[in-house]
Structures are given as structure tokens and as C-alpha cells.
């Protein structure tokens, strides 16, 4: 290696004190010692190398000095140390071993690094200062995708040696690490994708150690090629050379591939016949989409159903085929320029959109029906649009690059399944189950091992608020405030996600779905097993929701296999989850505000508007929303006018025809409801804040019937954002007595809303006043709890706090009154984050 410098090259060789290697321009090499330096054929310019890396250009005097230092080090070998570093966390598949290699090289350390079932194991030898610096850099300078949870060190006997090597991964033992989540295509790969001179030009599966599939392709640990679905593709010589070169960006990038050896694209037509491959498949897919077609596109964690988001007929047809009702679709656009045409976006939201996780981000829509808008059928009745940017090279190519004839620049991108079922991942299943939904399939032959839906998030009051935690986030661990014995928390029935915990960490699964379908129950079984395999947690007990009728509770008992099964009260778990993600200790307590749709209460009622004085081990119900009758369970959830009539009944307001909710209820149904409310037959009392939002939406004429959970509340929130109000309505509060909780009576609010409706007050202003009144109620109840308990920390949990208007107003009101406010930031406030709370309750009990 002459590096273009005339003369000779000096290489200092660790472990051989006072030796060097002379490399001439023809590449011949011989070892000499310091005494031979003056005898070397002449040149005053030298390159100081270490393990093949140029360290610095030195002259003859510096070469002598460097070799003298080695000679001194050789005489004082006691100054050398060897240390083992065991690194735990997300350290596989993120370029951690190349980082270790380069770090050791820069510090002139010898040794080895390897993947293990527990993480990464490195042994280094050299001067004590250099080894100390190596340990510091492990913790502070890790690659951007790595999460270093712990570094354990131990001293080892010195061995000498002449270099640093990356060894094959070692299995065995119990795994305790996780690969990275799937990460959006990085800038370097995108540049290569568009570079006609690059051998991966237009390659739909371009990736490196900084991006691409991880979680969805890994089949086991240690994370190596053989333990991924890419094991089915044999690397070509060029890819193998990159894979084995520690200086290459693709060193040990397990999904590495190129057009010669990687996955292939295929377009299958509506008859199930393969029409074309690769570039032709992409071109045909763009043409189909431009012509109004609907395509199933295989992505990272499953298939998506895709159509032109600007095409009214295509979107309406997709909605009809999928039986989607009015539930919004997500929209993918190629970049921020198109995004800004459709929505308003802040700098923080742009960062969320363009970051490596690439969730669907809820953003305020620009005026609907304009030339730059998407079809009204994409998100009917919603003032927000769920927007995401491409996160795979296939998505980028689907929009078209370079001289491509472009397809649509806004694509509906929704999970390929029938509503309520898990996302489809298997190619053969996709051909059959999606046949009634699509006109063609754009697929590839890289197997998806782990289903993973897109994540959904929004930016509220200065921080991210996750709504669905899945691709890009799962299965990153969450640090726990105290030790947890091996436990499985199975979550709830809606938005199910499970969690495994042991020691000081919990691992939450990706979003699984609603447990009212057998296929989702089966998906929980597979997901939990895979999480056990990756984390090495063997749960000694299970914890589930206290609701006796939950499918998740039945699953826990069916899979207990003799292990104890604990239960956790639903709203207590919501609060415990928020406490845990904020690191509150085992003995700390908070004022917990748990607002949601329904949860099984201790008295058999359907709770959902709760104020709890809570720690992890116990809670006390300090206040709740006043009970009203819930008739028919899900029937009242899907028909908000029934909840409106229940609140009118409880508030003593006659069911007059001038109230929109009364008009919406058929007369014969009114008679049945009147009997039920009076007699209590077929009713359960509920304190649900979510159902109160439904009731107000119907009372104001906003929404009387819904096709999906919280549809009415979402429309009410959207209206509230369009009006300004300096005040709201007031709840009546009946103080608690002894151990009896205080009651927040919604009757005065209901009567005031009806009065405003009759007075012709716009629905938007009523919505704004109602939101303000709920936020004020939280502050008042928190004040009362602080006076009686001395607590000044408030934790907000439950699905109602997905509402950005309410969360922002509540957080502001509490902060102004001197409270410390804990709100969800790592996990959703809805049932998708409840497993963490269950885990902590079981640990503290």
C-alpha cells in the first residue's frame, strides 16, 4: 500500500515492541526493528499506519519517536490492559460492530468484536488510557440507530496480538437484545437509487447499515444474515465484498442485496397471473394507479391497498370494497412540497414526517375540494389528514424518479385487510383474501416474518403524541423505574399490544389490533412468541385486564400453563403506564386523570371519567363523572344519539323534537330507550367521558351514527379548533364524603348545550365551549385532590387524551396552577399503551 506517496511506508505493529513493516511501491513487506530505521532506503516522508488505516504522515524523526514509544511499551508490558465490554440494547443490525472496529483502530487497540445472543461482545487490549477512552466512546458515540442500554466491563489477562478482528456471531445462551425497528431509506441510499452510474440504480431494495428492514425480517438472534428472511438470497461477489469490508457502509448490513442477487418485483393481475417483473412491473403499477385502479403493494410489514388519493371514484370504490365506512385513509406523498399543498405543517411536524421512523402524522387539512386537495372521500368529515412520506425505495419508485412517466402524486396507503383483521403479509393469502379488493398485486419475494402496521402520531403542545406505536418504533425497549420479575402483560381488547418485562426493561410489541376477530387473537399468540424469542424473557406470570369478558383476558387464562394470572383495573393501568414512561419510582403517587370510552369498574359499572389517587401498587377513586345509563352496550357506542338521550334523561331535559339528537332517534326506539332508562333493564351505569363527547356531538347535530370508535368525538374536536372561546360550561361537583368519591355532574353542561342549540349558537362554538369546560373540570378536580392529599403531579391517560384540543388546554390549565403534568410521549394514551401499566401494577403488587 503506497497511498500515492513516494518512498517507504512505516506500519507500527502492536505486540512487537520496536518493530515496523516496510512496504515498498511494489507492495513487498518485511519487518525491521528500530535499529534498522537508518538503514532503510531513503525517503524522509512516511505514512504511519495502524491495521491498514492511515493515521498520519510523519517524517523520519517522528517515525523513530513512534518506534521508540513502542519499544518502551514493550519493556513495560504491565502498562497494557485487556478489557471485555458486553454491550446490551439495540446494537445489532445498526452498524455497531463496524463502529467498534473503527474505534479500536483509531485508538490502536487489538482485540475482537462479535454479536451474541445478549448483544455485542468486544475485547480490546492496549494502553489503559486508550482502553478507557474506548469504553467511553461505546456509551457516547454509538451509531445513530443504536440504543445502548448497558455496558458491562470485566478485566481480562493480556494476550498481545497484531490487529483487531470481527468474528462470526456466537449463539447459545439466552438472548437479551433487540434489533432495530425498520428504518426509512437513508439519504445515501436514495442518492445511489437515483444515480445512473451506481450499480444499485433504481434497485427497489437498496439498503445499508443505516436503513431498511430489520424487525420485520429477523427470525432469531444473534442478528445475522442467516437469522433473517434474506438468508433465502445468496449474495453475489460484489455484495459479499461490501458485506465483509469493515470500512464499507454495508458491512454486515444483513438485508444487503443488488439487482443481481436480491429480491425481485412482480406484478400479478386480477386473475392471479404474473404479468411482468422489475422495471416493467413498476411501470405497469404506475399506469394502473393513474387509470383509477386499486393495487395491493407489498411493503415492509405487510401489504397496503393503494389508489390515487385525488381520484374520487377510485377512493370511493376502495372504501366500498374494504367495507371501511367513513374511517379515514392515510395518504402517502413523495415529498414535503406535495405535503404542503394538502396540509399545514410546522417545523416540528416536518421533522416527524421526514425522520427515520416515518409514521403517519395527523395534520390539519387545507381547504377541501380545491385543485390541490385530495378526494373528500379520503377522510370524510375530518379536518385532519393522516400523511406519510415514502419509507422504502419501492415507494419512491412507485411515485417515479428521473425520466419516469409519473403516476399519481398522492396515494391512499391503507393496511391490506378487511376492517378489524390483521394486516396481510403472506403472498398466497394475499392472492386469495385480497382478490375482492384489488385489481392487481405489486409484490416481491422477500418474506415478511413479522407483521407491522404503520405507526400513527401527532404533535401536540410541544411534544410527539403517539396514537399507534408500530413500524419504526417497535420493539424498542422502555427503561423501567424499578426491577420487574419476568412478566407478560397481554394488553386490552381494543388496539391490542402486549408487553414483556424483566429487570429494568420492558419490550412492547407492535400494534396487533382489536381482539374481536379470531385472526387477531391468533396474531397475539404469534407476536408474543416472537417477542419472547427476541428478548429471551420467559414470563413466570401473566397480567391482564380485569374485565371478565375481554378476549385478551380469556387468552391469558388459556395460555397460562400453570402460571399465575393477575388482573389490573383498566384505568389504573392507564395511569401506571404514564407514570412508568416518566420514570416515577415504586413509592410515588400521582393524581391520575383517566378519560376513555369504557373500562370495567370495581362496582360493575362502565368507568371512563375517572380521577384516581394512584401509585403502582394501589389506587383510590377520588372522583368520577356522574353515572348515566348505557343501554345496549355497543349499540349506544355506534349510535351517539342514544348516549345523547341518556344524558338528557339524567339531566332532566325533555326529549323534544327541536333537539337534533331526539330527531335522529326513531320514535319506536325512543319508546324502548325511555323504558330502559326508567327501569334500568338492559342498562349498565357509565361514567364514560368518551361517551359524553359522543352525546354532545349528537346534541349539536354533528354526528348521530358512527362507523368507527371516536368518529363523533373526532368531528367535534375538529369543529372546536375553528372557533375561539374565552370560557365554557360548568360541571356540577358534589364533594366526596369519607371514602365516597366526588361526583362531577354533567347535567349542567348538557342543559347549557341544549340551550345554546336552541338559541342557534354555531356547533363549532358549542364544541369549543365544551372542550374548555372539560379542561376546566380536570383542573378543578386536581385542585381538590391536591388540597386533600398534598400531591401536585397529575398524570393524563386514556383514549380521550388523543384529542389535541383537550390535551393542550388541560396541560396549559394544570401548568398554570402549578402542577407537574405527565402526559404520554412514548406510548399511546389509548389502550395501545396499557400493557406497560399492567406490567408495572403486577410488579408492584
Amino acid at each position: 500500500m503506497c497511498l500515492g506517496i513516494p518512498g517507504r511506508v512505516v506500519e507500527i505493529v502492536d505486540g512487537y515492541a520496536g518493530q515496523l513493516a516496510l512496504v515498498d511501491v511494489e507492495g513487498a513487506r518485511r519487518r525491521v526493528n528500530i535499529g534498522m530505521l537508518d538503514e532503510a532506503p531513503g525517503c524522509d516522508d512516511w505514512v504511519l499506519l495502524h491495521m491498514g488505516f492511515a493515521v498520519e504522515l510523519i517524517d523520519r524523526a517522528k517515525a523513530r519517536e513512534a518506534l521508540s514509544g513502542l519499544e518502551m511499551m514493550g519493556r513495560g508490558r504491565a502498562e497494557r490492559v485487556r478489557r471485555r465490554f458486553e454491550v446490551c440494547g439495540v446494537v445489532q443490525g445498526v452498524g455497531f460492530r463496524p463502529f467498534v472496529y473503527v474505534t479500536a483502530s483509531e485508538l490502536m487497540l487489538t482485540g475482537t468484536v462479535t454479536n451474541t445472543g445478549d448483544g455485542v461482545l468486544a475485547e480490546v487490549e492496549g494502553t489503559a488510557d486508550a482502553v478507557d477512552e474506548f469504553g467511553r466512546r461505546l456509551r457516547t458515540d454509538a451509531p445513530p440507530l443504536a440504543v445502548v442500554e448497558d455496558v458491562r466491563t470485566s478485566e481480562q489477562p493480556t494476550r498481545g496480538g497484531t490487529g483487531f478482528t470481527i468474528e462470526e456471531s456466537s449463539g447459545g445462551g439466552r438472548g437479551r437484545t433487540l434489533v432495530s425497528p425498520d428504518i426509512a431509506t437513508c439519504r445515501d441510499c436514495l442518492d445511489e437509487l437515483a444515480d445512473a452510474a451506481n450499480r444499485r440504480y433504481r434497485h427497489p431494495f437498496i439498503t445499508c447499515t443505516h436503513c431498511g428492514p430489520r424487525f420485520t425480517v429477523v427470525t432469531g438472534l444473534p442478528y445475522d444474515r442467516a437469522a433473517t428472511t434474506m438468508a433465502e438470497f445468496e449474495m453475489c461477489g460484489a455484495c459479499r465484498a461490501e458485506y465483509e469490508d469493515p470500512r464499507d457502509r454495508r458491512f454486515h448490513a444483513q438485508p444487503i442485496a443488488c439487482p443481481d442477487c436480491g429480491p425481485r418485483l412482480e406484478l400479478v393481475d386480477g386473475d392471479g397471473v404474473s404479468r411482468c417483473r422489475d422495471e416493467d412491473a413498476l411501470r405497469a403499477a404506475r399506469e394502473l394507479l393513474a387509470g383509477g385502479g386499486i393495487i395491493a403493494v407489498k411493503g415492509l410489514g405487510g401489504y397496503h391497498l393503494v389508489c390515487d388519493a385525488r381520484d374520487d371514484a377510485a377512493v370511493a370504490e376502495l372504501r366500498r370494497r374494504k367495507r371501511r365506512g367513513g374511517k379515514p385513509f392515510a395518504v402517502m406523498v413523495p415529498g414535503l412540497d406535495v405535503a404542503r399543498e394538502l396540509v399545514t405543517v410546522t417545523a416540528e411536524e416536518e421533522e416527524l414526517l421526514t425522520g427515520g421512523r416515518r409514521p403517519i402524522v395527523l395534520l390539519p387539512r387545507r381547504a377541501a375540494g380545491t385543485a390541490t386537495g385530495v378526494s373528500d372521500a379520503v377522510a370524510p368529515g375530518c379536518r385532519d389528514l393522516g400523511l406519510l412520506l415514502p419509507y422504502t425505495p419501492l415507494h419512491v419508485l412507485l411515485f417515479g424518479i428521473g425520466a419516469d412517466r409519473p403516476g399519481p402524486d398522492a396515494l391512499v396507503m391503507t393496511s391490506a385487510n378487511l376492517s378489524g383483521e390483521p394486516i396481510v403479509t403472506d403472498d398466497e393469502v394475499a392472492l386469495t383474501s385480497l382478490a375482492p379488493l384489488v385489481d392487481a398485486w405489486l409484490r416481491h419475494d422477500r418474506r415478511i416474518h413479522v407483521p407491522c402496521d404503520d405507526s400513527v402520531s401527532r404533535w401536540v403542545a410541544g411534544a410527539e403524541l403517539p396514537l399507534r406505536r408500530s413500524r419504526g418504533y417497535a420493539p424498542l425497549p422502555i427503561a423501567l423505574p424499578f426491577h420487574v420479575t419476568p412478566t407478560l402483560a397481554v394488553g386490552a381488547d381494543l388496539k391490542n399490544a402486549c408487553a414483556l418485562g424483566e429487570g429494568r426493561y420492558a419490550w412492547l410489541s407492535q400494534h396487533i389490533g382489536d381482539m374481536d376477530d379470531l385472526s387477531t387473537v391468533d396474531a397475539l399468540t404469534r407476536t408474543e412468541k416472537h417477542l419472547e424469542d427476541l428478548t429471551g424473557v420467559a414470563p413466570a406470570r401473566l397480567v391482564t385486564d380485569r374485565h371478565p369478558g375481554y378476549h385478551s383476558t380469556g387468552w391469558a387464562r388459556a395460555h397460562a400453563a400453570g402460571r399465575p394470572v393477575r388482573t389490573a383495573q383498566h384505568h389504573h393501568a392507564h395511569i401506571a403506564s404514564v407514570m412508568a414512561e416518566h420514570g416515577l419510582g415504586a413509592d410515588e403517587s400521582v393524581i391520575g386523570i383517566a378519560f376513555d370510552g369504557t373500562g370495567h369498574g370495581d362496582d360493575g359499572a362502565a368507568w371512563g371519567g375517572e380521577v384516581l389517587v394512584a401509585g403502582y401498587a394501589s389506587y383510590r377513586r377520588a372522583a368520577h363523572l356522574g353515572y348515566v345509563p348505557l343501554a345496549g352496550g355497543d349499540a349506544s357506542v355506534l349510535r351517539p344519539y342514544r348516549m345523547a338521550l341518556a344524558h338528557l334523561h339524567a339531566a332532566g331535559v325533555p326529549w323534544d323534537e327541536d333537539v337534533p339528537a331526539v330527531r335522529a332517534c326513531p320514535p319506536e326506539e325512543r319508546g324502548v330507550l325511555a323504558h330502559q332508562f326508567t327501569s334500568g333493564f338492559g342498562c349498565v351505569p357509565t361514567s364514560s367521558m368518551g361517551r359524553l363527547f359522543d352525546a354532545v356531538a349528537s346534541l349539536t347535530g354533528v354526528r348521530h351514527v358512527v362507523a368507527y370508535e371516536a368518529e363523533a368525538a373526532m368531528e367535534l374536536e375538529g369543529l372546536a379548533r375553528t372557533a375561539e372561546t374565552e370560557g365554557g360550561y360548568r360541571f356540577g361537583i358534589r364533594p366526596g364524603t369519607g371514602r365516597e368519591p366526588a361526583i362531577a355532574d354533567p347535567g349542567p353542561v348538557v342543559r347549557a348545550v341544549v340551550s345554546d342549540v336552541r338559541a342557534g349558537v354555531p356547533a363549532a362554538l358549542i364544541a369549543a365551549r365544551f372542550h374548555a369546560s372539560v379542561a376546566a373540570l380536570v383542573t378543578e378536580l386536581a385542585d381538590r385532590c391536591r388540597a386533600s392529599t398534598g400531591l401536585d403531579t397529575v398524570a393524563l391517560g386514556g383514549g380521550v387524551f388523543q384529542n389535541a384540543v383537550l390535551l393542550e388546554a388541560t396541560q396549559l390549565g394544570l401548568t398554570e396552577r402549578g402542577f407537574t403534568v405527565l402526559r404520554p410521549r412514548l406510548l399511546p394514551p389509548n389502550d395501545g399503551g396499557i400493557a406497560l401499566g399492567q406490567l408495572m401494577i403486577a410488579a408492584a403488587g
Side-chain angles (χ1 to χ4, degrees), residues 26 47 50-51 96 186 228 344 390 399 407 495 499 575 656 741 758 762 777:
E26 285 78 28
V47 175
H50 179 70
M51 288 173 275
F96 203 86
C186 69
T228 73
T344 60
F399 284 107
K495 301 176 176 63
I575 300 306
D656 295 333
R758 286 173 169 158
L777 173 66

Side-chain angles (χ1 to χ4, degrees), residues 491-494 544-547 550 552 567-577 594-602 607-608 610 612 619 797-799 829-832 834-835 837-838 841:
D493 266 21
L494 295 180
T544 185
D545 196 276
R546 192 167 291 173
H547 196 301
Y550 269 7
S552 52
T567 61
Q569 201 281 326
H570 190 86
H571 302 93
H572 184 204
H574 272 311
I575 300 306
S577 178
F595 288 172
D596 64 0
T598 55
H600 185 70
D602 295 342
W607 289 7
E610 312 307 312
L612 308 178
Y619 66 94
N830 58 48
D831 288 1
I834 207 168
Q838 294 174 344
I841 290 169

Side-chain angles (χ1 to χ4, degrees), residues 429-453:
V429 172
L431 279 179
T432 54
S433 67
L434 302 182
L437 308 181
V438 302
D439 304 312
W441 292 258
L442 181 62
R443 67 185 190 182
H444 54 77
D445 52 353
R446 183 179 66 207
R447 185 166 51 88
I448 299 171
H449 186 66
V450 183
C452 202
D453 284 276

Side-chain angles (χ1 to χ4, degrees), residues 498-767:
C498 63
L500 286 171
E502 184 176 14
R504 297 294 293 270
Y505 292 97
W507 293 265
L508 271 81
S509 75
Q510 71 275 28
H511 168 81
I512 297 173
D514 295 346
M515 299 288 288
D516 54 0
D517 188 275
L518 179 60
S519 58
T520 313
V521 176
D522 291 340
L524 172 59
T525 304
R526 294 190 300 272
T527 299
E528 190 277 330
K529 174 62 169 60
H530 186 249
L531 204 57
E532 279 194 35
D533 291 342
L534 289 186
T535 63
V537 175
R541 63 185 177 188
L542 290 78
V543 56
T544 185
D545 196 276
R546 192 167 291 173
H547 196 301
Y550 269 7
H551 297 293
S552 52
T553 302
W555 185 96
R557 300 194 186 283
H559 290 78
R563 295 170 292 181
V565 178
R566 284 203 56 185
T567 61
Q569 201 281 326
H570 190 86
H571 302 93
H572 184 204
H574 272 311
I575 300 306
S577 178
V578 179
M579 292 173 62
E581 74 160 82
H582 283 272
L584 268 65
D587 298 326
E588 296 187 70
S589 295
V590 300
I591 301 165
I593 312 295
F595 288 172
D596 64 0
T598 55
H600 185 70
D602 295 342
D603 57 359
W607 289 7
E610 312 307 312
V611 179
L612 308 178
V613 175
Y616 295 109
S618 64
Y619 66 94
R620 173 175 64 84
R621 195 184 194 195
H624 65 85
L625 196 64
Y627 285 140
V628 300
L630 175 68
D634 285 346
S636 290
V637 174
L638 296 175
R639 286 177 266 177
Y641 65 76
R642 292 169 67 100
M643 287 311 308
L645 267 59
H647 274 280
L648 291 172
H649 170 81
V653 179
W655 292 356
D656 295 333
E657 289 280 347
D658 63 341
V659 179
V662 177
R663 291 197 304 272
C665 183
E668 61 275 13
E669 189 174 354
R670 284 184 226 166
V672 173
L673 288 174
H675 173 70
Q676 287 185 284
F677 294 159
T678 302
S679 66
F681 178 76
C683 292
V684 61
T686 184
S687 59
S688 169
M689 182 61 77
R691 299 288 79 82
L692 178 59
F693 270 79
D694 290 348
V696 172
S698 181
L699 289 171
T700 54
V702 173
R703 172 69 64 173
H704 302 300
V705 178
V706 300
Y708 58 93
E709 182 198 16
E711 182 178 9
M714 287 169 60
E715 290 193 30
L716 197 68
E717 176 195 350
L719 279 173
R721 292 210 305 257
T722 67
E724 292 186 8
T725 179
E726 294 182 355
Y729 312 115
R730 286 191 62 81
F731 288 80
I733 297 181
R734 188 174 73 225
T737 56
R739 295 192 60 82
E740 291 299 312
I743 306 296
D745 180 12
V749 172
V750 170
R751 291 190 289 270
V753 167
V754 172
S755 177
D756 275 357
V757 169
R758 286 173 169 158
V761 175
L765 183 54
I766 296 174

